[in-house]
Amino acid sequence: MVLSKTSSESDVSLHSTFASRYVRTSLPRFKMPENSIPKEAAYQIINDELMLDGNPRLNLASFVTTWMEPECDKLVMAAINKNYVDMDEYPVTTELQNRCVNMIAHLFNAPLGESETAVGVGTVGSSEAIMLAGLAFKRKWQNKRKAEGKPCDNPNIVTGANVQVCWEKFARYFEVELKEVKLRDSYYVMDPVKAVEMVDENTICVAAILGSTLNGEFEDVKLLNDLLVQKNEETGWDTPIHVDAASGGFIAPFLYPELEWDFRLPLVKSINVSGHKYGLVYAGIGWVIWRSKQDLPEELIFHINYLGADQPTFTLNFSKGSSQIIAQYYQLIRLGYEGYKNIMENCQENAMVLKEGLLKTGRFNIVSKDNGVPLVAFSLKDNSRHNEFAVSDMLRRFGWIVPAYTMPPDAQHVTVLRVVIREDFSRTLAERLVVDIEKVLHELDTLPAKIDAMMSVSAGEDKGPNGGVVKKTALETQREITTVWRKFVMERKKTNGVC
């Protein structure tokens, strides 16, 4: 007799993934499963779980590009199996990276001769780029101090308290003191005057931010340069400047071409920029450009030959994909100066649409500036009944991811919401966001009265073991109010879900 298996017992030729046992049995989460599963089932299980992620297009917290043209997507997929570090095996990819470095260097007004090539490298992002630039500053400072017979064991960097966390990482990982200029009310970027006052003989560089993460504002690099030139002349030091243009490097040349922030200023020795932000490439590409070869110590460059020909390398990692470099080259030649200018102007105009819509509600103060990275940072005029975190939380019901955060010291009492305007954020979406914010505010306005009603019996007191009244502490009262509010919000989510 021939024995046969039913389809539910067989792993062969599944007609429907959802009719199989693979969607009825949980896979181990933190251990590799003992047995294989069909590729269709593996794909479906992962794809289904990823559906619970947020929509990248509606992630207004991120500066990172979430859309590219289909033709660029094809180039990315065609190169996804190329290891960029194999320069001898993929010489054209290496050549495209070199072209990108030179294009960006010219965009930043690097003082290059007719036949001179730019000094720079592609990185995983601006974090790696900042690490490399910081190492170059530290090594140059150490070499000079050693040559002068002076101690070189206490380097520092002067920045504003608004710097991105990668600067803190560099300082901690590479043992450099981070001297931060504190912020203040209505001034949320580094003050150049206070920054120069903090510079001493151990300062390896002053880091200026072209496009603060907090409110998009450009710091005054020109004033910083002029003040630092004067101090260097008075002290005999030669403290340089690094410009962290992660967000603003692909904005300023197109929207504010007359603004002096780049290599036109003599003390600017290196600049980093994120290709995956307003360079309009998917996540995973950054660039660091040096003013000249003299600003990158030769001893930091490694030479290898076990992949073929001699290959110089200055990176913190080794293997990485080639796709983002190719995508960056595509965007540079596809869009050109005209295309980038049009896109940045559109982003800026859409930011103004959003700003005007928020102002019309009469409920918000605008914290961001009109000139800078196209974003809108705003705070509630009255947060006594509900705060920015509540607005951020409830906007997620409509699919929007809008971050709320407190400012760094000494402006930590200020809380803001921030919407980053990217290429794929249209005027229609800006108008829709304002409508949804108004809905959230209207709903939040109803919360305090309902919470008060629920808390009216026991808001400030409780029954003791003998029936007496026991006064609650302020902390206990606050915890109870928070618990009731959360319960109320969860009940609203159950009954008022968004399709």
mmCIF file of all heavy atoms in Angstrom, residues 215-231:
data_model
loop_
_atom_site.group_PDB
_atom_site.id
_atom_site.type_symbol
_atom_site.label_atom_id
_atom_site.label_comp_id
_atom_site.label_asym_id
_atom_site.label_seq_id
_atom_site.Cartn_x
_atom_site.Cartn_y
_atom_site.Cartn_z
ATOM 1 N N ASN A 215 16.566 72.978 15.588
ATOM 2 C CA ASN A 215 15.647 73.921 14.940
ATOM 3 C C ASN A 215 16.066 74.313 13.527
ATOM 4 O O ASN A 215 15.491 75.228 12.939
ATOM 5 C CB ASN A 215 15.498 75.190 15.794
ATOM 6 C CG ASN A 215 16.782 76.009 15.849
ATOM 7 O OD1 ASN A 215 17.855 75.538 15.477
ATOM 8 N ND2 ASN A 215 16.679 77.245 16.308
ATOM 9 N N GLY A 216 17.064 73.627 12.958
ATOM 10 C CA GLY A 216 17.456 73.856 11.568
ATOM 11 C C GLY A 216 18.290 75.095 11.321
ATOM 12 O O GLY A 216 18.690 75.363 10.187
ATOM 13 N N GLU A 217 18.604 75.842 12.365
ATOM 14 C CA GLU A 217 19.280 77.127 12.196
ATOM 15 C C GLU A 217 20.752 76.956 11.835
ATOM 16 O O GLU A 217 21.432 76.052 12.332
ATOM 17 C CB GLU A 217 19.152 77.939 13.496
ATOM 18 C CG GLU A 217 19.648 79.365 13.403
ATOM 19 C CD GLU A 217 19.374 80.147 14.678
ATOM 20 O OE1 GLU A 217 18.637 79.623 15.542
ATOM 21 O OE2 GLU A 217 19.886 81.275 14.805
ATOM 22 N N PHE A 218 21.250 77.827 10.958
ATOM 23 C CA PHE A 218 22.670 77.855 10.609
ATOM 24 C C PHE A 218 23.433 78.677 11.643
ATOM 25 O O PHE A 218 23.028 79.800 11.963
ATOM 26 C CB PHE A 218 22.893 78.492 9.231
ATOM 27 C CG PHE A 218 22.377 77.682 8.072
ATOM 28 C CD1 PHE A 218 22.273 78.264 6.811
ATOM 29 C CD2 PHE A 218 21.994 76.364 8.218
ATOM 30 C CE1 PHE A 218 21.807 77.538 5.725
ATOM 31 C CE2 PHE A 218 21.509 75.626 7.145
ATOM 32 C CZ PHE A 218 21.418 76.216 5.897
ATOM 33 N N GLU A 219 24.539 78.146 12.138
ATOM 34 C CA GLU A 219 25.386 78.942 13.012
ATOM 35 C C GLU A 219 26.222 79.914 12.176
ATOM 36 O O GLU A 219 26.476 79.684 10.996
ATOM 37 C CB GLU A 219 26.289 78.027 13.849
ATOM 38 C CG GLU A 219 25.484 77.209 14.848
ATOM 39 C CD GLU A 219 26.303 76.294 15.727
ATOM 40 O OE1 GLU A 219 27.494 76.093 15.428
ATOM 41 O OE2 GLU A 219 25.739 75.762 16.700
ATOM 42 N N ASP A 220 26.657 80.997 12.794
ATOM 43 C CA ASP A 220 27.371 82.063 12.096
ATOM 44 C C ASP A 220 28.850 81.689 11.969
ATOM 45 O O ASP A 220 29.684 82.077 12.795
ATOM 46 C CB ASP A 220 27.208 83.377 12.849
ATOM 47 C CG ASP A 220 27.643 84.586 12.021
ATOM 48 O OD1 ASP A 220 28.412 84.399 11.056
ATOM 49 O OD2 ASP A 220 27.213 85.715 12.342
ATOM 50 N N VAL A 221 29.163 80.922 10.930
ATOM 51 C CA VAL A 221 30.538 80.451 10.733
ATOM 52 C C VAL A 221 31.459 81.613 10.359
ATOM 53 O O VAL A 221 32.624 81.645 10.743
ATOM 54 C CB VAL A 221 30.585 79.351 9.652
ATOM 55 C CG1 VAL A 221 31.986 78.731 9.586
ATOM 56 C CG2 VAL A 221 29.555 78.264 9.925
ATOM 57 N N LYS A 222 30.936 82.586 9.619
ATOM 58 C CA LYS A 222 31.742 83.745 9.217
ATOM 59 C C LYS A 222 32.207 84.534 10.449
ATOM 60 O O LYS A 222 33.394 84.875 10.568
ATOM 61 C CB LYS A 222 30.914 84.646 8.303
ATOM 62 C CG LYS A 222 31.605 85.946 7.868
ATOM 63 C CD LYS A 222 32.789 85.696 6.953
ATOM 64 C CE LYS A 222 33.240 86.960 6.223
ATOM 65 N NZ LYS A 222 33.677 88.043 7.128
ATOM 66 N N LEU A 223 31.308 84.816 11.366
ATOM 67 C CA LEU A 223 31.687 85.534 12.570
ATOM 68 C C LEU A 223 32.661 84.711 13.405
ATOM 69 O O LEU A 223 33.644 85.248 13.947
ATOM 70 C CB LEU A 223 30.439 85.869 13.393
ATOM 71 C CG LEU A 223 30.681 86.565 14.739
ATOM 72 C CD1 LEU A 223 31.437 87.878 14.546
ATOM 73 C CD2 LEU A 223 29.355 86.795 15.464
ATOM 74 N N LEU A 224 32.403 83.412 13.513
ATOM 75 C CA LEU A 224 33.308 82.530 14.247
ATOM 76 C C LEU A 224 34.710 82.582 13.652
ATOM 77 O O LEU A 224 35.711 82.687 14.378
ATOM 78 C CB LEU A 224 32.776 81.096 14.224
ATOM 79 C CG LEU A 224 33.661 80.029 14.859
ATOM 80 C CD1 LEU A 224 33.801 80.269 16.360
ATOM 81 C CD2 LEU A 224 33.106 78.631 14.587
ATOM 82 N N ASN A 225 34.797 82.520 12.325
ATOM 83 C CA ASN A 225 36.093 82.579 11.649
ATOM 84 C C ASN A 225 36.817 83.898 11.951
ATOM 85 O O ASN A 225 38.006 83.913 12.289
ATOM 86 C CB ASN A 225 35.893 82.417 10.141
ATOM 87 C CG ASN A 225 37.185 82.524 9.360
ATOM 88 O OD1 ASN A 225 37.895 81.544 9.160
ATOM 89 N ND2 ASN A 225 37.512 83.716 8.882
ATOM 90 N N ASP A 226 36.104 84.999 11.853
ATOM 91 C CA ASP A 226 36.732 86.311 12.070
ATOM 92 C C ASP A 226 37.231 86.468 13.510
ATOM 93 O O ASP A 226 38.333 86.977 13.742
ATOM 94 C CB ASP A 226 35.735 87.424 11.733
ATOM 95 C CG ASP A 226 35.374 87.453 10.253
ATOM 96 O OD1 ASP A 226 36.093 86.801 9.459
ATOM 97 O OD2 ASP A 226 34.373 88.092 9.895
ATOM 98 N N LEU A 227 36.426 86.033 14.471
ATOM 99 C CA LEU A 227 36.828 86.130 15.874
ATOM 100 C C LEU A 227 38.017 85.221 16.176
ATOM 101 O O LEU A 227 38.923 85.585 16.943
ATOM 102 C CB LEU A 227 35.652 85.765 16.785
ATOM 103 C CG LEU A 227 34.457 86.720 16.772
ATOM 104 C CD1 LEU A 227 33.308 86.138 17.581
ATOM 105 C CD2 LEU A 227 34.854 88.088 17.334
ATOM 106 N N LEU A 228 38.019 84.036 15.545
ATOM 107 C CA LEU A 228 39.086 83.081 15.796
ATOM 108 C C LEU A 228 40.396 83.523 15.127
ATOM 109 O O LEU A 228 41.483 83.299 15.676
ATOM 110 C CB LEU A 228 38.664 81.694 15.298
ATOM 111 C CG LEU A 228 39.357 80.477 15.925
ATOM 112 C CD1 LEU A 228 39.344 80.544 17.438
ATOM 113 C CD2 LEU A 228 38.681 79.202 15.433
ATOM 114 N N VAL A 229 40.295 84.148 13.969
ATOM 115 C CA VAL A 229 41.493 84.710 13.318
ATOM 116 C C VAL A 229 42.146 85.723 14.249
ATOM 117 O O VAL A 229 43.375 85.731 14.441
ATOM 118 C CB VAL A 229 41.120 85.364 11.973
ATOM 119 C CG1 VAL A 229 42.268 86.252 11.476
ATOM 120 C CG2 VAL A 229 40.802 84.295 10.930
ATOM 121 N N GLN A 230 41.326 86.582 14.847
ATOM 122 C CA GLN A 230 41.837 87.601 15.755
ATOM 123 C C GLN A 230 42.489 86.970 16.982
ATOM 124 O O GLN A 230 43.580 87.384 17.405
ATOM 125 C CB GLN A 230 40.696 88.526 16.185
ATOM 126 C CG GLN A 230 41.129 89.674 17.085
ATOM 127 C CD GLN A 230 39.967 90.582 17.458
ATOM 128 O OE1 GLN A 230 38.887 90.488 16.874
ATOM 129 N NE2 GLN A 230 40.176 91.453 18.436
ATOM 130 N N LYS A 231 41.855 85.944 17.553
ATOM 131 C CA LYS A 231 42.428 85.300 18.736
ATOM 132 C C LYS A 231 43.718 84.568 18.400
ATOM 133 O O LYS A 231 44.680 84.578 19.186
ATOM 134 C CB LYS A 231 41.411 84.328 19.348
ATOM 135 C CG LYS A 231 41.908 83.698 20.644
ATOM 136 C CD LYS A 231 40.780 83.175 21.505
ATOM 137 C CE LYS A 231 41.278 82.750 22.870
ATOM 138 N NZ LYS A 231 40.194 82.410 23.800
#
